[in-house]
Amino acid sequence: MVAKKSVKTVFEAIESFFSRPETFPSEDTERAFTEVSRGIPVLIADKCIGCSLCALSCPAQAITMIPGGKRMLGNRQVEIKNPSFDYSKCIYCGLCAQVCRQNAIEMRKNVDPIIIIK
Ligand code: SF4
Ligand code: SF4
């Protein structure tokens, strides 16, 4: 039994030696960003109704609600707040986009990766 486990471990070691690494060299930011990342959260302001659900759900406290001007909601004009993302705190988990019922947050990859460097 022990011998069987040892053989399996050796095969796993050989396999992982020849497989592509899970990590990326730090200078290969663009590849890491396009292949692995979920993208960065971007607000589609005209869909946002200012409910704050994204800010309340953010595990990194990376979202602050800031004044977003006046919007017509139904037949009423109201002052709303919009989320503002602090990309130095964001962990790019995508939760804000998932919880938003208005689909007002998109995780985008077509953004200059330079802005995600912390
Ligand atoms: S982005 Fe979505 S979840 Fe966040 S405040 Fe706007 S509507 Fe609410
Ligand atoms: S992607 Fe995650 S960490 Fe970044 S703002 Fe959204 S919920 Fe917060």
Side-chain angles (χ1 to χ4, degrees):
M1 189 67 176
V2 175
K4 238 183 183 181
K5 264 191 177 176
S6 301
V7 171
K8 191 176 169 222
T9 307
V10 169
F11 274 111
E12 282 173 357
I14 293 169
E15 193 183 349
S16 91
F17 183 77
F18 289 105
S19 65
R20 212 175 65 174
E22 297 294 327
T23 52
F24 296 87
S26 58
E27 68 273 13
D28 206 354
T29 311
E30 192 164 345
R31 184 178 152 217
F33 187 68
T34 53
E35 288 187 23
V36 187
S37 162
R38 296 181 178 94
I40 74 163
V42 174
L43 178 71
I44 316 298
D46 58 358
K47 289 185 178 177
C48 177
I49 57 169
C51 69
S52 299
L53 200 54
C54 52
L56 294 169
S57 307
C58 176
Q61 283 90 48
I63 301 177
T64 307
M65 298 302 290
I66 59 169
K70 291 183 178 172
R71 279 271 313 276
M72 291 300 289
L73 286 185
N75 54 4
R76 286 187 312 138
Q77 194 179 51
V78 292
E79 291 274 354
I80 67 158
K81 289 189 170 183
N82 288 147
S84 168
F85 303 98
D86 180 344
Y87 295 123
S88 69
K89 288 184 180 173
C90 179
I91 56 172
Y92 312 105
C93 63
L95 200 56
C96 51
Q98 281 178 30
V99 298
C100 178
R101 295 182 179 174
Q102 305 301 314
N103 295 320
I105 298 176
E106 288 179 3
M107 297 301 286
R108 286 194 186 161
K109 290 189 175 188
N110 60 344
V111 180
D112 188 348
I114 196 78
I115 71 169
I116 70 163
I117 295 173
K118 295 183 179 176

